Amino acid sequence: MEDVNSAKLRARLDPDGIGQALALTAEQAASAWKSGLAARVPQGARSVVIAGMGGSALGPHIVTSALGAKLRVPVRVVNGYDLPGDVDRNTLVVLSSYSGTTEETLAALTVARRRKAKLVGICAGGPLAAALSRLKAPTLVFDSRFNPGNRPRLGLGYSVFGVAALLSRAKTLTLSAAEASDAIRALRATVRTVSPDVPMLRNVAKRLAARLVNKAILWSGAEHLEGAVHAVTNMTNETAKHLAFWLPVPELNHHFMEGLGFPKTSVQHLTAVLVRSGLYAPRVAARFPLTADVFRKNGVTVEELKLTERAPLAQAMELLMLGGHTAYFLAMAHRVNPSPNPWVDHFKKALGPP
């Protein structure tokens, strides 16, 4: 793993600047927060549905988990072509598509119009922005210059803070400017500790990546960190081309542990990364050392990440940068370009247009 310290290697494997995009997440966040607060968002919603897929759904998931206690109405994230049956004129439908071309999100727009729902969009342009413009529906069209390579999973600063700002404007979320600024500060502070220029001895993401190179990875966290754990897992799959999945505590305590018995060879290749937080509820926090003990007794390697930020959204951003850089360093260790997603592209091409 010492080669990940090589700027020459990173320049060769990362021509699209995925590492730079990670470093610019705070700039994405600051830009989207400012633009979102200036949007004229429909008022009076009794519920919110956020429609998005893949990387465009990660930001909303982070918002609903990290800021769940600050939501003033029910908010759901929907992945697919359709919307729940209760969506009506009292529902705010947020259409999230980084590229503005996602077919499921465009289909959800059609459903939302038929149900006469309130509409708002967030994207970088494309057909979604054009459709919403024709409908005179407000849209946060963000400036994607802070995301070299234009990969949605690396545009989470736009997604998290853009969606948070739109919900704040809709009076469905209570998030102060000070809280948003603190989370953006956490992004910058964490990047300074895990950037590629920081040597391995002082870089927790590099050290973690070195221990994960030949392991399938289970990422696990709880409560306000579920969305960030989900996002980090996607980054591990897409950026590192590395097998990873996620399960939250306490859910995994009710079934997953019993599956560690067979096949016997599986646990030899599995590492569980348990994300610890001083903000968890006491009964949830008590589960983590017990979970680690069960894993180890079944032959699973356990890594523990202990977060230090003091607010839920700030901690989610801390984890996003720790996990995002871990995925980036895994890509360098595997000698792969972290930008393209050839199998996703192959699948979309084989599926064909709707």
Side-chain angles (χ1 to χ4, degrees):
M1 278 288 292
E2 63 275 4
D3 286 341
V4 301
N5 293 311
S6 166
K8 184 180 294 186
L9 175 72
R10 296 195 301 271
R12 177 169 62 83
L13 293 178
D14 184 19
D16 292 341
I18 298 304
Q20 185 183 5
L22 279 167
L24 291 171
T25 305
E27 280 60 46
Q28 298 172 14
S31 172
W33 176 252
K34 180 178 179 180
S35 297
L37 289 182
R40 300 182 64 181
V41 181
Q43 302 295 300
R46 297 178 185 172
S47 66
V48 177
V49 170
I50 308 172
M53 301 296 301
S56 298
L58 296 177
H61 191 185
I62 291 172
V63 170
T64 56
S65 59
L67 298 174
K70 294 180 175 292
L71 294 171
R72 300 175 64 180
V73 301
V75 178
R76 290 165 287 176
V77 180
V78 173
N79 313 116
Y81 295 86
D82 207 350
L83 296 175
D86 63 323
V87 169
D88 60 18
R89 66 179 67 249
N90 295 311
T91 308
L92 175 64
V93 175
V94 182
L95 298 141
S96 173
S97 170
Y98 187 96
S99 65
T101 63
T102 309
E103 67 175 77
E104 295 93 336
T105 308
L106 292 169
L109 170 59
T110 301
V111 177
R113 288 183 63 195
R114 189 165 63 242
R115 306 271 188 83
K116 302 186 182 337
K118 305 173 191 294
L119 300 174
V120 65
I122 175 170
C123 59
L128 178 60
L132 290 170
S133 178
R134 288 193 297 270
L135 295 169
K136 295 182 170 46
T139 309
L140 195 174
V141 180
F142 50 78
D143 179 357
S144 60
R145 64 193 170 99
F146 295 123
N147 184 14
N150 271 324
R151 294 294 174 177
R153 68 186 181 276
L154 278 307
L156 292 180
Y158 297 125
S159 183
V160 172
F161 288 84
V163 168
L166 293 174
L167 295 184
S168 295
R169 287 288 290 157
K171 297 183 176 61
T172 57
L173 171 69
T174 304
L175 180 66
S176 70
E179 290 168 317
S181 295
D182 182 55
I184 294 170
R185 175 206 54 77
L187 285 168
R188 293 193 173 106
T190 309
V191 166
R192 285 195 293 270
T193 68
V194 295
S195 69
D197 294 332
V198 177
M200 184 176 291
L201 188 63
R202 294 187 284 110
N203 192 320
V204 64
K206 283 183 180 178
R207 296 198 304 273
L208 179 59
R211 297 191 294 270
L212 295 175
V213 168
N214 295 310
K215 297 281 192 171
I217 305 168
L218 164 63
W219 290 95
S220 186
E223 297 182 320
H224 62 286
L225 296 175
E226 284 192 23
V229 169
H230 181 186
V232 165
T233 303
N234 275 39
M235 289 180 176
T236 308
N237 292 150
E238 294 188 85
T239 298
K241 323 304 184 230
H242 192 110
L243 182 62
F245 61 105
W246 72 281
L247 286 168
V249 170
E251 173 63 23
L252 70 77
N253 300 132
H254 290 267
H255 58 89
F256 181 75
M257 297 183 298
E258 295 298 341
L260 297 174
F262 299 97
K264 293 292 186 184
T265 54
S266 296
V267 295
Q268 300 170 13
H269 303 287
L270 178 64
T271 292
V273 181
L274 303 182
V275 182
R276 305 286 293 272
S277 166
L279 301 179
Y280 290 153
R283 288 291 290 176
V284 172
R287 290 173 177 267
F288 277 82
L290 295 174
T291 301
D293 182 60
V294 170
F295 281 156
R296 290 185 176 111
K297 285 178 176 176
N298 281 275
V300 176
T301 302
V302 176
E303 297 284 348
E304 298 189 70
L305 276 181
K306 296 180 180 179
L307 304 184
T308 60
E309 289 292 338
R310 297 182 179 182
L313 184 59
Q315 266 198 3
M317 295 303 96
E318 180 185 7
L319 175 57
L320 194 62
M321 291 298 94
L322 287 170
H325 281 83
T326 298
Y328 182 75
F329 296 135
L330 276 169
M332 297 298 100
H334 294 322
R335 302 295 194 272
V336 296
N337 184 334
S339 180
N341 295 135
W343 286 111
V344 173
D345 294 341
H346 164 80
F347 186 90
K348 289 179 178 178
K349 183 177 180 180
L351 182 63

